[in-house]
Amino acid sequence: MSSYNLSHLDQLESEAIYVFREVAAQFEKPVILFSGGKDSITMVHLAKKAFWPAKVPFPLLHIDTGHNFPEALEFRDNLAERYNVNLDVGLVQDSIDRGTAVEEKGVNPSRNTLQSITLLEKLEEGQYDAAFGGGRRDEEKARAKERFFSHRDDFGQWDPKNQRPELWNLYNGKKAPGESFRIFPISNWTEMDVWQYIKKEKIELPSIYFSHKREVVNRNGVLIAKSPYNTLLEGEAYEEKIIRYRTLGCMTITGAVESEADDLDKIIEEVAAARQTERGGRADDKRSEAAMEERKKQGYF
């Protein structure tokens, strides 16, 4: 009698593919939220495997703050072409111009929170009833509270105290008119799982995930890249360092890590030895103890 044993990566892949297929069966117009980061890139790869040999049946939706890394935007466009999927882009600048979003004041304004406004506008405009997100429970405590099928009310708001139970692999996508769901196929993955899977599947990534020279400023322990969107404060100066990114967001709030890891094997070794969490270098998470949960209640990713 032959044995049938799956590795932990095979089990996680199987679970994610099951979620993708459940959403295709239960919802009318799903969309994949795409940031250009490793998690959303992994999700597109999983969606491709879920429906192969057909093409990915969902469009990609990217909320462009206008402060993105140019390497991530170039990779986004190339990926959409390579996978032959439609790419829908929501510009935060458009929301600001319409007056639905207001730019932060101060020396170094962040557009991170404004993404929620543009996202909700684009979801309504596209009549999307389910939005796949690359959030993982190991990233941050608010994300640990999310279900695979995470209900949003007709204002796009999340109530962490009013979530539907998920028993075994039974997912409830029933909704009232105007309501929608956020879907998290890789909820049970860790950062290490994602890196190991990327290596196993030979998934391409933006170059800034690997070590490279870059001018950065050390601001309260966070290495912020030189960009047109940051202004140096008194006493600050840019210096060139060999760095890479563990997570991607706006150039104004995403911290780099000093690293010599220029290939996947070295990155996996580095992550295994890391003593700081993946989002430990995100300035947006440091604004308050419950910063992520508050943003998610307002419709954030």
Side-chain angles (χ1 to χ4, degrees):
M1 182 176 176
S2 61
S3 62
Y4 182 67
N5 297 315
L6 296 178
S7 70
H8 81 286
L9 289 180
D10 290 334
Q11 291 182 43
L12 290 170
E13 178 191 71
S14 177
E15 180 181 68
I17 286 175
Y18 177 81
V19 171
F20 272 108
R21 291 173 176 168
E22 274 293 295
V23 171
Q26 294 193 38
F27 293 89
E28 295 179 2
K29 197 172 181 185
V31 66
I32 298 176
L33 303 181
F34 187 80
S35 67
K38 66 183 186 308
D39 298 315
S40 56
I41 292 169
T42 298
M43 285 211 305
V44 176
H45 180 83
L46 288 162
K48 178 184 176 183
K49 296 190 81 168
F51 301 100
W52 180 263
K55 61 177 284 189
V56 175
F58 319 116
L60 307 183
L61 174 59
H62 179 227
I63 304 304
D64 185 345
T65 63
H67 293 170
N68 297 96
F69 286 91
E71 295 94 333
L73 295 181
E74 181 182 0
F75 188 92
R76 175 200 70 185
D77 295 340
N78 291 337
L79 179 139
E81 185 176 346
R82 190 166 69 250
Y83 280 80
N84 189 26
V85 292
N86 293 327
L87 173 64
D88 192 1
V89 177
L91 300 175
V92 169
Q93 186 61 52
D94 285 349
S95 300
I96 294 172
D97 293 343
R98 280 193 296 269
T100 53
V102 179
E103 190 109 57
E104 274 190 1
K105 296 179 180 177
V107 179
N108 289 297
S110 169
R111 290 184 169 182
N112 196 48
T113 57
L114 305 186
Q115 292 181 90
S116 303
I117 297 169
T118 307
L119 171 63
L120 295 178
E121 290 174 349
K122 290 298 294 184
L123 291 177
E124 184 174 0
E125 175 187 313
Q127 295 295 297
Y128 299 119
D129 58 353
F132 292 99
R136 307 188 322 268
R137 289 182 174 130
D138 77 320
E139 284 183 272
E140 206 275 343
K141 53 185 178 294
R143 287 188 163 164
K145 297 179 182 178
E146 291 270 22
R147 302 287 196 267
F148 279 90
F149 278 30
S150 189
H151 176 264
R152 296 294 190 273
D153 66 17
D154 52 358
F155 297 103
Q157 297 172 322
W158 174 59
D159 182 357
K161 296 180 180 178
N162 185 27
Q163 299 189 85
R164 294 172 177 173
E166 288 185 342
L167 304 177
W168 303 285
N169 58 354
L170 301 176
Y171 303 125
N172 184 353
K174 187 175 181 180
K175 62 187 183 309
E179 295 178 344
S180 62
F181 276 79
R182 301 290 171 82
I183 312 293
F184 300 100
I186 60 171
S187 269
N188 284 339
W189 298 44
T190 64
E191 181 188 11
M192 178 62 83
D193 295 328
V194 173
W195 283 114
Q196 290 178 334
Y197 187 74
I198 286 170
K199 181 187 175 189
K200 173 176 174 285
E201 297 290 311
K202 299 181 174 59
I203 299 172
E204 291 184 40
L205 293 177
S207 58
I208 55 178
Y209 274 115
F210 303 92
S211 70
H212 60 284
K213 288 182 181 177
R214 199 174 202 110
E215 286 189 89
V216 295
V217 58
N218 188 332
R219 180 170 294 162
N220 301 320
V222 179
L223 299 179
I224 301 295
K226 183 179 182 179
S227 77
Y229 321 116
N230 280 318
T231 303
L232 290 178
L233 305 178
E234 185 177 354
E236 290 184 337
Y238 287 115
E239 54 184 326
E240 189 174 84
K241 289 182 177 290
I242 298 177
I243 56 102
R244 73 174 194 86
Y245 289 90
R246 292 175 69 182
T247 176
L248 291 189
C250 287
M251 296 186 78
T252 55
I253 48 88
T254 304
V257 293
E258 292 190 72
S259 171
E260 299 281 349
D262 55 5
D263 62 34
L264 290 174
D265 287 324
K266 292 176 185 175
I267 289 175
I268 289 171
E269 286 181 16
E270 188 177 274
V271 170
R275 290 294 176 267
Q276 186 180 43
T277 63
E278 180 182 2
R279 293 183 67 95
R282 292 287 291 260
D284 48 337
D285 289 354
K286 297 178 184 294
R287 290 193 168 195
S288 75
E289 182 68 19
M292 173 66 84
E293 182 157 332
E294 291 304 317
R295 292 201 302 275
K296 288 180 77 67
K297 286 179 180 176
Q298 297 166 10
Y300 191 70
F301 302 95

